[in-house]
Amino acid sequence: MGEKTIFLIDGQSFYASIEKAARPELENRPVAVGDPARESGIILAACPIAKQQGVTTAERVGQARAKCPELVVIRPRMQTYIAISLLITEIFESFTDRVEPYSIDEQFLDVTGAVQSPEELARKIQAQVFLSTGVWCRVGIGPNKVLAKTATDNFAKKNQKGIFTLNESNIAETLWPLPVHRMFMVSTGMTRHFLRMGLTQIGDIARLDQMDFRRRMRREMGRQSDIQADYYWQIACGIDPSPVESGIRKELKSISHGKALRSSLYGELADIQVVLLELVTEVCRRARRRGFMGRVVSVGAVETDGDRAWGFGRQTTLPEPTSLAHEMAKAVLPLFAKHWSGAPVSRLFVSLDSLVEDKVMQLTLFEDRAKAYRRERAIDRIQDRYGSAAILRASSLLEAGVARERAEQIGGHYK
């Protein structure tokens, strides 16, 4: 069997490219996606023209405007971005049935055995995606997913063609001289470990014997680091046996939901409990939609005094699996109150774990659980048809509630 051919295809400045394609008058202007009404908001994407003027992703809108006064900031439309991402997936699937989404703007393709050469096929895909969506794609090509991803991030994004092949024939001369922080999956913390070990380039790791690298990692991080050592050594050497798996659905092990908050508004338990109840309601709705109940519930928070931030996470086991909000809330609310220090909260999350199918339900003498499930599922159907804000808990109408605003968003951003 011959060497595989894997693509990692990335949409350049994805959100910004979609907005510029929808507004031809902005073709030659610097564009960024963010909330134009909030100077403290975050830039989600910036087009190449904006980036040339110093605008970067994740910086504040006010900072970006200070660098580039003519910057056009456009409010995000997440539903549109998701729809176009799905359209691009369909385009990829017209070339191969082995397509694995990696993020909203990145996807792996296994094109092993294609009649055309990899570069010819990459150019054809680039052209079709651009004509269909206005998004220019960069294509990394390699014999596995790690090298394809590395080729995209470090080389295809930096050349005019937007295409680069990385394999055994050129890895030593192209990848290995790069600084170690450019290696796939290497965080800032891991970079510090490598630098303390005297490993400044990716090749410094790849040229080591695997067991020698293990020993060095043990000295730096302890005996528990063997798995990490093997993982990073394989990445540096361009080894990755994982296949391209069609689709994105995996076995569901947990259902969770969280919300970032303005800590200045959430210093009172009553206000925090409003949000906790909204999170619990959404988690249970998601569980019912997927046909699950859970027996373990978790709650966590990030607290702050304005200078420092700290957090906690706690869990408890319920007498019976559930996806009823009032049963989950009965455990979550006191669990939070018990472990909360009283400081303002900047983030909350809840989760439902130890999932089982909801085909069998434990009945009780003191409550008609079957009736409660019928009521909750009736509400689910109304919300699915008319939107999440069609039916809300009364507490969500309080000033502390975030459910109404959240109903207008996807992933924390406006649809």
Side-chain angles (χ1 to χ4, degrees), residues 76-86 410 413-415:
R77 299 181 295 153
M78 298 307 299
Q79 189 65 62
T80 298
Y81 307 151
I82 292 170
I84 291 177
S85 178
L86 293 173
I410 296 176
H413 304 292
Y414 288 98
K415 299 177 182 179

Side-chain angles (χ1 to χ4, degrees), residues 310-357:
W310 61 94
F312 70 87
R314 296 293 187 274
Q315 66 180 36
T316 188
T317 301
L318 303 175
E320 301 294 340
T322 190
S323 58
L324 293 172
H326 71 278
E327 292 182 345
M328 185 174 175
K330 189 177 179 180
V332 165
L333 297 182
L335 187 62
F336 174 85
K338 179 179 179 180
H339 296 284
W340 178 50
S341 72
V345 171
S346 61
R347 182 168 180 80
L348 290 170
F349 76 86
V350 300
S351 71
L352 190 62
D353 305 274
S354 296
L355 301 179
V356 295
E357 292 186 357

Side-chain angles (χ1 to χ4, degrees), residues 36-78:
R38 293 180 58 209
E39 292 290 294
S40 62
I42 297 297
I43 296 293
L44 301 177
C47 75
I49 297 174
K51 289 178 179 177
Q52 288 171 6
Q53 299 188 40
V55 178
T56 61
T57 302
E59 74 176 336
R60 303 290 181 184
V61 171
Q63 294 173 323
R65 282 176 167 155
K67 295 176 182 177
C68 180
E70 65 274 26
L71 183 69
V72 179
V73 181
I74 299 174
R75 185 174 173 174
R77 299 181 295 153
M78 298 307 299

Side-chain angles (χ1 to χ4, degrees), residues 29 32 35 41 58 72 102 110-111 134 152 165 179 199 209 243 266-267 304 306 315 320 356 380 398 402 405 412:
R29 298 184 62 184
D35 189 341
V72 179
Y102 184 67
D110 187 336
V111 296
T152 301
T165 300
L199 305 172
D209 175 78
Y266 292 92
T304 179
Q315 66 180 36
E320 301 294 340
V356 295
D380 293 342
L398 297 171
V402 297
E405 180 185 19

Side-chain angles (χ1 to χ4, degrees), residues 252-270:
L252 195 61
K253 297 182 179 180
S254 175
I255 298 172
S256 61
H257 193 32
K259 178 65 179 175
L261 303 169
R262 292 175 61 185
S263 59
S264 59
L265 301 180
Y266 292 92
E268 300 293 331
L269 181 60

Side-chain angles (χ1 to χ4, degrees), residues 73-301:
V73 181
I74 299 174
R75 185 174 173 174
R77 299 181 295 153
M78 298 307 299
Q79 189 65 62
T80 298
Y81 307 151
I82 292 170
I84 291 177
S85 178
L86 293 173
L87 171 60
I88 291 173
T89 300
E90 291 180 5
I91 293 172
F92 294 160
E93 289 174 341
S94 70
F95 291 92
T96 175
D97 60 354
R98 289 161 292 180
V99 178
E100 179 183 340
Y102 184 67
S103 68
I104 192 171
D105 62 343
E106 294 179 291
Q107 305 194 45
F108 287 106
L109 283 67
D110 187 336
V111 296
T112 304
V115 175
Q116 297 166 292
S117 71
E119 284 216 5
E120 289 174 334
L121 185 58
R123 286 194 294 270
K124 189 172 182 178
I125 292 174
Q126 281 179 324
Q128 189 160 332
V129 171
F130 186 74
L131 288 172
S132 300
T133 67
V135 175
W136 175 246
C137 290
R138 288 77 62 89
V139 185
I141 305 171
N144 56 52
K145 289 159 70 173
V146 160
L147 286 181
K149 170 69 172 167
T150 302
T152 301
D153 291 347
N154 291 290
F155 305 106
K157 289 183 179 182
K158 296 175 172 59
N159 70 44
Q160 192 170 4
K161 293 190 304 180
I163 299 172
F164 192 85
T165 300
L166 185 62
N167 54 34
E168 188 177 349
S169 69
N170 65 352
I171 188 173
E173 65 190 56
T174 56
L175 179 62
W176 289 359
L178 294 181
V180 72
H181 72 266
R182 300 269 290 276
M183 190 165 77
F184 179 59
M185 294 299 289
V186 171
S187 64
T188 301
M190 188 56 65
T191 297
R192 287 196 292 267
H193 284 300
F194 289 152
L195 294 179
R196 279 198 294 265
M197 295 161 64
L199 305 172
T200 61
Q201 297 181 338
I202 297 175
D204 293 339
I205 297 173
R207 294 186 185 95
L208 288 173
D209 175 78
Q210 186 174 2
M211 295 309 296
D212 185 18
F213 182 54
R214 266 195 188 189
R215 287 189 289 271
R216 294 185 184 211
M217 286 281 282
R218 285 180 183 180
R219 287 196 295 269
E220 173 69 20
M221 301 178 62
R223 295 187 62 85
Q224 75 282 0
S225 66
D226 282 0
I227 293 176
Q228 285 178 291
D230 292 344
Y231 176 71
Y232 286 116
W233 183 83
Q234 289 183 15
I235 289 177
C237 294
I239 300 170
D240 178 19
S242 63
V244 173
E245 297 181 322
S246 300
I248 58 175
R249 297 198 178 275
K250 309 291 183 185
E251 181 183 357
L252 195 61
K253 297 182 179 180
S254 175
I255 298 172
S256 61
H257 193 32
K259 178 65 179 175
L261 303 169
R262 292 175 61 185
S263 59
S264 59
L265 301 180
Y266 292 92
E268 300 293 331
L269 181 60
D271 293 332
I272 296 169
Q273 286 179 329
V274 170
V275 181
L276 281 174
L277 187 54
E278 291 176 335
L279 297 178
V280 165
T281 300
E282 180 60 24
V283 164
C284 288
R285 180 186 173 194
R286 293 178 184 179
R288 292 191 297 271
R289 183 183 297 149
R290 291 166 171 81
F292 286 105
M293 302 182 292
R295 189 163 186 174
V296 175
V297 298
S298 304
V299 62

